[in-house]
Amino acid sequence: MSELHPFETEPVSVGETGGDGSGPAAPTEHRTYTPKERMAIDRHAMPEQDAVLRSANFREVNLGYPEQLAVLEAERCLQCKNPVCIDGCPVRVNIPRFIELLRDGDMVGAAASLLDDNALPCVTGRVCPQEIQCEGVCVRAKKGTPVGIGYLERYVADWALAHPESLPKAAPSPGGRSVAIIGSGPAGLTAAGELVKIGYDATIFEAFHATGGVLIYGIPEFRMPKDIVQREVDRLVAAGVKIETNAIIGRTYTLRELRERFDAVFIAVGAGLPVFMHVPGENLKGVYSANEYLTRVNLMGAWNPEADTPILRGHRVVVVGGGNVAMDAVRTARRLGAEEATIAYRRGRAELPARIEEVHHAEQEGVRFEFQVAPTEVLGDENRWVTGIRCIRMALGEPDSSGRRRPEPIPGSEFEIPCEMVVVAIGTRSNPLLTASEPDLALNQWGYITVDENLMTSIPGVFSGGDIVRGAATVILAMGDGKQAAHSIDRYLRARHGVPHLAIMNGHPPNDAVDAGAARARG
Ligand code: FAD
């Protein structure tokens, strides 16, 4: 088999992935490979929709491995004695275990193992930056390409979603103490799933009418189908998680009220407030924040021409930024009819923070990249509609505090890009709606919640994690925080109330610091 770019399409039939909705098939046979044969198997590319076709539709780009590719890819795993891939995963998924079970045809075992470690595997199998996590440390990467861990995770997770009847049923154990979770993004959902597993009564309060956080309002359908997010949420609800939508904490209820009603609180409200460029012309008609643009398209259905939600459809669109959000916005603009969709990024290609796969897909879809440029003004006509963006070229100087080379403007290098729309995707920060309503909640200088090593805030019994603590980060880091917070809450409540919980039997021993916090709260 020839060596392919990790994200290039291999000409394979994808019929077996269950286009009929039945999900991926379970492997039927298993032959034994010698170590040499195993090493000779090349990484298998993810089948994907044709780039020309997909740049005009919102269907998922990646199609999922068919059975033979999944099994062959699983054969590439060396089942290392010291599986460093587990250390590379912030939620510590037992990667070799689920891959071995998949390889051996035990799909029920593989799915049960994966779901035990990861509350949202269909999500992480699609959007995790595996190249800098599990796959980044895979030993096969040293002499070639890493095992396609994310692709295999997606295969097993999609199989689990399509075969709920085959999986062991979670047994909610009501009667435990109660925990309120604010926000239904990856951090909140993971914490809730973990808490009900341990035996707590967990209720999520979500400001929007829909559950999933960025997964539902930010990441577009063509990367993260919304019905899949909903089915992952449904699985958590079936396991006992309660969800109250349209509940803005800081407005509908206060944090204080939740503290009175619940034994502990986990704040996972993300960091969804857009940052702007602060250049002249930024308030012209035709300038969107990426947050508004993507929310209109994803959550409010503007991708569908039949929907009531208004959205501008520029023929020439410039997206400012270089992260996943920028890639999602520019690829969305292409799908909404932009003939010229351009990324303007102030550093170089090597510094792009977006996942490699998203950059590769954007290029395939005809997105243009202007590297080392920074906007200085948005230009408009007499009716205040955008007509272009003026930029200045940048040189890369010495590394800054982030370790990346600092961009410096090159005097006299200004130029204009004509366009009808500009989307600003240069970052987000914390939304003060909840944090400003609770003066006892300690924040850092940027307005993010400060926590101790157990994710407990300055208020005893109130924990926090995900983007509202870290600043804009990743799905898997938010999930790691959700998992850690659930176990910290368990230890805190056991120390406070002396109630034995399942976590202790599951090998999560009491933690001195959390116990000390609980003692403080007891007075
Ligand atoms: P969020 O997902 O932001 O969820 C917070 C939830 O809290 C939201 O539902 C919000 O409505 C709710 N909320 C806020 N305030 C209140 C309140 N006062 N009361 C009640 N509810 C409230 N990461 C990756 O790993 N891979 C990617 O490919 C990727 N792509 C991205 C693309 C986009 C467009 C964006 C915006 C982000 C992307 N990220 C990606 C980052 C990732 O999505 C976030 O790091 C992650 O979602 C953070 O999870 P969270 O649970 O902390 O917060």
Side-chain angles (χ1 to χ4, degrees), residues 78-352:
L78 303 179
Q79 295 292 319
C80 303
K81 282 212 167 60
N82 173 24
V84 285
C85 52
I86 300 180
D87 300 329
C89 170
V91 296
R92 299 194 59 79
V93 169
N94 191 330
I95 292 163
R97 186 173 60 193
F98 89 75
I99 291 183
E100 185 179 29
L101 290 163
L102 157 64
R103 189 195 69 190
D104 294 348
D106 180 357
M107 287 305 288
V108 172
S113 169
L114 182 57
L115 281 165
D116 199 35
D117 293 333
N118 180 345
L120 307 169
C122 291
V123 171
T124 49
R126 284 172 168 80
V127 305
C128 257
Q130 287 98 5
E131 67 268 18
I132 55 166
Q133 292 173 343
C134 52
E135 294 182 15
V137 292
C138 171
V139 295
R140 290 218 51 175
K142 288 185 186 151
K143 285 195 185 157
T145 49
V147 175
I149 298 170
Y151 296 164
L152 293 176
E153 180 180 45
R154 171 187 163 139
Y155 183 83
V156 173
D158 285 0
W159 185 92
L161 216 56
H163 299 86
E165 72 296 339
S166 311
L167 295 169
K169 292 276 165 297
S173 40
R177 292 192 173 272
S178 63
V179 182
I181 292 142
I182 310 174
S184 68
L189 289 172
T190 303
E194 205 66 15
L195 283 162
V196 292
K197 212 160 41 172
I198 302 171
Y200 288 93
D201 188 338
T203 306
I204 297 180
F205 293 89
E206 167 56 49
F208 277 138
H209 61 276
T211 317
V214 168
L215 308 176
I216 210 92
Y217 74 78
I219 305 182
E221 179 76 15
F222 57 82
R223 279 214 296 136
M224 188 64 256
K226 304 309 154 212
D227 73 307
I228 290 186
V229 178
Q230 188 54 50
R231 285 157 74 193
E232 296 260 49
V233 171
D234 291 345
R235 184 165 51 207
L236 291 172
V237 170
V241 172
K242 297 175 191 153
I243 302 178
E244 184 174 333
T245 51
N246 298 311
I248 307 174
I249 308 309
R251 291 280 191 281
T252 322
Y253 310 110
T254 62
L255 181 58
R256 188 170 296 273
E257 281 173 292
L258 293 191
R259 286 168 59 205
E260 281 162 14
R261 277 175 57 193
F262 293 86
D263 295 300
V265 178
F266 177 55
I267 304 175
V269 292
L273 199 67
V275 169
F276 284 96
M277 304 181 289
H278 301 293
V279 299
E282 201 168 14
N283 56 0
L284 289 173
K285 291 180 279 187
V287 180
Y288 280 112
S289 71
N291 193 297
E292 179 187 346
Y293 184 61
L294 292 171
T295 303
R296 279 176 184 271
V297 175
N298 296 317
L299 185 68
M300 296 157 74
W303 63 271
N304 177 358
E306 312 279 298
D308 289 337
T309 309
I311 190 86
L312 294 176
R313 292 165 184 259
H315 287 298
R316 293 167 302 180
V317 177
V318 174
V319 175
V320 182
N324 289 319
V325 184
M327 297 308 142
D328 284 344
V330 79
R331 295 173 69 198
T332 296
R334 277 289 282 154
R335 283 161 174 77
L336 289 179
E339 283 137 28
E340 274 178 36
T342 306
I343 285 280
Y345 179 55
R346 62 193 188 131
R347 291 186 162 97
R349 172 181 291 275
E351 285 83 17
L352 277 171

Side-chain angles (χ1 to χ4, degrees), residues 168 187 306 362 370 447 451 473 521:
E306 312 279 298
E370 280 280 0
V451 291

